[in-house]
Amino acid sequence: MDVIATIDQGTQSTRVYVYDSKAKPISSHHVEFEQHRARAGWIEHDPEEIWQGVELCIQRALKAAESKAGPIKVKALGITNQRETTLVWDKTTGKPLHNAIVWMDSRTESICKQIVDEHGSKDHFRPVTGLPISTYFSSYKIKWLLDNAPKVRQAVQSRQAYIGTMDTWLIYKLTGGNSGGVFVTDVSNAARTNLMDIKSRQWHPKTCTYFGLEPDMLPEIKSNAEVFGYVKDGPLQGVPIAGCLGDQHAALLGQRCKPMEAKNTYGTGCFLLLNTGSEAQESKHGLLTTIGYQLGPDEAPQYALEGSIAIGGAGVSWLRDQMGLIQSAEESEAIASCVSNTAGVYFVPAFGGLLAPHWRGDARGVIVGLTSYTNKAHIVRALLQAICWQAREVMDAMQKDAHFSQIQLLKVDGGASNNNLLMQMQADALQIPVERPSHLETTSLGAAFAAGIGIGFWSKEWVLNAKKGAFDSKEAGSSTGQTWQPNVDKDTNSSQYAKWKKAVALSYDLADLAEPDQAPLPAS
């Protein structure tokens, strides 16, 4: 049986999927990895631990596929990954020179403030890169490494460093590492570095120089669907890596979003993207202009507007791991359902600042409206409601930027979309239907689509125009595809939304409340 395999390297876990010729999942395997938090606001990943997890997942997913389907032949490999997470490694040894700095890490807040002060606007780079100045993006993480990690600084100065995002690291390792590994990235991941010209889709020399880099220090930029290189060793030896997209771009493709169609992925964060077609749409309302996907080197790209929300499922994890209010993520639905509303409690989970549409690095989490009547069910429900209100803020901005009166439907995916209460609350908050597919791992599916298109296994037309339900999964443990309609009247919804915005305003300018952290810098 001919199959397509995908690596989905996320913020908290790595997963490998195997799909048949009809893009239906046969098997998967996933592993979690450690989140390194040396200080408040810092989050790092060990690149070698992630690579070892990828190797394990490949072996076990392929073995599971063969046990279910008999002999298989992997025709191509697709990759999708956590975006913006940045790492630097030695050209000669192939070894990381520092842990990867994760996309939600906020250590570069002072760097960002200094650059905003220098240029007088957080939108200084936006006309070129499509992005505001924020701790979120890779260029600021690179600057921090150059300023604070001597091994990185020395390697960059001597031109002995490879600088990239997680996709570049995985492709390098898969294709041989320091024995001939390929140094490439794709257009969607490059778009998240704040170093790429969003229109030319090439590194922007002036911006690179500003951050202490030259374009030739960075990986070659390719489309999302073409051959990047070939796996050198292991069970996938000789297989072409033919698709690569950042996770949210992969989900946009996996949901088969055409122009003026939107999707929201509920993972660690929430990421709402609207396909705006073949022209880059500049945002005036706090969103990001980004690449949607480009399905071949000679194909026109699809652009998108994106609203990135830092805390989605991570907020549920916080309730479980830090506060002990729930025993599992799944329990959040049952506990929140014990009450019919939040009893006036509003939760703004700005743990490391607010991303779209606010871009307030100085915001911090607040829970307001507490009374002696408040119980843990109200707080859990308020967190779920916060996820929905954040999506509402982004959707409002999106419709203004796109000059679009009303997006008719929101396609949803990601682990937290398994929460039926959350999905109903989301439909209520947006006042539009919310549609969930049966196969929630649309990031993996999008990577599979790109890889299949990259080698001609599938056509672009088949992927984008297949009938609704064509890729529905019958995989064990998959959810049932479902649509939720709004169940709250507009006046009640508008009143609650106004109260949420009041709570958001209270979260601003709180970063200076933190106690000084005297922990030493990690060795570099």
Side-chain angles (χ1 to χ4, degrees):
M1 175 188 289
D2 291 342
V3 300
I4 300 290
T6 64
I7 298 168
D8 183 351
Q9 201 296 296
T11 307
Q12 301 183 75
S13 67
T14 298
R15 186 182 302 269
V16 169
Y17 259 98
V18 178
Y19 293 88
D20 68 16
S21 61
K22 295 182 179 179
K24 296 184 183 296
I26 301 171
S27 68
S28 67
H29 188 80
H30 88 282
V31 296
E32 296 184 354
F33 51 86
E34 186 175 355
Q35 309 292 308
H36 298 269
R37 302 175 186 269
R39 294 186 179 188
W42 288 28
I43 309 177
E44 297 180 356
H45 291 160
D46 179 347
E48 293 288 10
E49 181 188 3
I50 287 176
W51 168 241
Q52 291 163 9
V54 167
E55 291 185 298
L56 178 65
C57 286
I58 289 172
Q59 294 169 1
R60 294 189 176 177
L62 294 179
K63 184 176 180 180
E66 290 179 338
S67 69
K68 290 182 180 180
I72 60 172
K73 180 176 178 59
V74 180
K75 302 294 289 184
L77 176 66
I79 294 173
T80 184
N81 59 284
Q82 55 170 316
R83 305 170 301 168
E84 297 96 17
T85 295
T86 304
L87 63 156
V88 182
W89 63 99
D90 187 280
K91 279 186 178 182
T92 302
T93 67
K95 298 295 184 182
L97 296 170
H98 193 280
N99 275 347
I101 301 180
V102 178
W103 59 272
M104 65 172 68
D105 183 291
S106 61
R107 74 184 67 188
T108 61
E109 186 176 340
S110 62
I111 291 173
C112 292
K113 184 180 185 304
Q114 179 183 349
I115 295 173
V116 170
D117 291 344
E118 176 185 345
H119 296 291
S121 171
K122 65 182 177 183
D123 292 325
H124 174 75
F125 299 106
R126 191 185 281 274
V128 173
T129 67
L131 307 175
I133 295 169
S134 169
T135 62
Y136 188 23
F137 305 112
S138 303
S139 60
Y140 309 98
K141 304 178 194 301
I142 295 169
K143 179 168 175 51
W144 187 93
L145 287 167
L146 289 173
D147 291 346
N148 295 280
K151 288 183 180 179
V152 170
R153 181 169 59 251
Q154 182 180 356
V156 170
Q157 290 174 346
S158 62
R159 298 292 184 113
Q160 285 299 305
Y162 277 147
I163 304 168
T165 43
M166 197 57 69
D167 58 305
T168 300
W169 169 248
L170 293 183
I171 294 172
Y172 171 79
K173 294 291 283 185
L174 286 161
T175 56
N178 64 337
S179 299
V182 177
F183 186 50
V184 294
T185 189
D186 75 88
V187 68
S188 66
N189 276 295
R192 314 300 295 192
T193 62
N194 193 53
L195 298 170
M196 188 190 83
D197 185 319
I198 194 68
K199 294 180 180 177
S200 72
R201 304 185 301 283
Q202 297 297 323
W203 301 120
H204 187 249
K206 185 177 179 181
T207 305
C208 289
T209 299
Y210 180 85
F211 285 97
L213 306 171
E214 296 298 330
D216 62 4
M217 297 178 178
L218 301 169
E220 178 187 358
I221 300 173
K222 290 180 172 287
S223 76
N224 299 118
E226 60 179 289
V227 175
F228 290 72
Y230 295 84
V231 180
K232 185 170 183 178
D233 297 306
L236 292 178
Q237 183 176 5
V239 171
I241 303 168
C244 185
L245 312 90
D247 50 9
Q248 304 313 316
H249 314 266
L252 191 73
L253 179 58
Q255 289 274 25
R256 298 178 296 126
C257 288
K258 301 180 183 67
M260 294 302 124
E261 292 184 345
K263 72 86 196 172
N264 196 12
T265 297
Y266 300 78
T268 302
C270 292
F271 304 90
L272 207 163
L273 274 75
L274 174 71
N275 185 332
T276 58
S278 59
E279 296 293 329
Q281 176 72 55
E282 185 177 354
S283 176
K284 301 291 187 181
H285 298 91
L287 303 181
L288 310 178
T289 301
T290 193
I291 294 291
Y293 48 78
Q294 183 187 9
L295 299 180
D298 299 321
E299 294 285 333
Q302 295 288 291
Y303 286 91
L305 284 170
E306 175 174 343
S308 306
I309 299 164
I311 302 298
V316 177
S317 298
W318 181 83
L319 293 176
R320 178 193 65 198
D321 301 334
Q322 303 298 105
M323 303 304 292
L325 295 181
I326 55 176
Q327 298 302 308
S328 67
E330 294 75 18
E331 191 182 14
S332 65
E333 180 175 356
I335 290 179
S337 297
C338 291
V339 292
S340 60
N341 55 56
T342 67
V345 174
Y346 287 82
F347 192 153
V348 183
F351 297 151
L354 290 170
L355 300 183
H358 306 280
W359 302 104
R360 293 291 299 250
D362 63 349
R364 289 297 180 265
V366 297
I367 303 174
V368 299
L370 296 172
T371 69
S372 60
Y373 178 70
T374 304
N375 61 41
K376 73 174 183 179
H378 295 125
I379 293 174
V380 172
R381 191 178 183 101
L383 185 279
L384 298 182
Q385 188 70 70
I387 294 172
C388 302
W389 290 136
Q390 290 179 103
R392 166 72 182 272
E393 290 182 310
V394 168
M395 184 71 82
D396 286 354
M398 201 164 268
Q399 292 180 160
K400 292 174 183 176
D401 276 336
H403 308 292
F404 201 57
S405 60
Q406 181 66 57
I407 295 169
Q408 300 299 315
L409 172 74
L410 180 66
K411 299 181 179 183
V412 301
D413 53 65
S417 69
N418 264 315
N419 187 318
N420 292 331
L421 175 63
L422 177 64
M423 294 299 96
Q424 181 60 61
M425 294 168 77
Q426 187 68 88
D428 294 340
L430 297 178
Q431 292 289 291
I432 61 173
V434 166
E435 180 181 273
R436 181 181 68 193
S438 63
H439 180 46
L440 295 182
E441 301 298 334
T442 57
T443 52
S444 292
L445 183 60
F449 285 156
I453 292 170
I455 61 163
F457 187 72
W458 295 315
S459 70
K460 182 180 72 171
E461 292 71 27
W462 180 80
V463 167
L464 294 178
N465 300 316
K467 293 180 180 178
K468 182 177 178 179
F471 307 119
D472 282 354
S473 169
K474 301 300 182 184
E475 182 189 22
S478 65
S479 64
T480 302
Q482 191 171 342
T483 300
W484 287 264
Q485 300 292 336
N487 197 31
V488 170
D489 66 83
K490 290 185 178 180
D491 289 343
T492 300
N493 182 65
S494 296
S495 174
Q496 293 173 342
Y497 184 44
K499 294 172 184 176
W500 155 261
K501 294 175 81 69
K502 184 178 180 180
V504 170
L506 295 172
S507 75
Y508 293 167
D509 196 24
L510 297 180
D512 60 353
L513 296 181
E515 295 294 332
D517 191 334
Q518 300 301 321
L521 289 172
S524 298

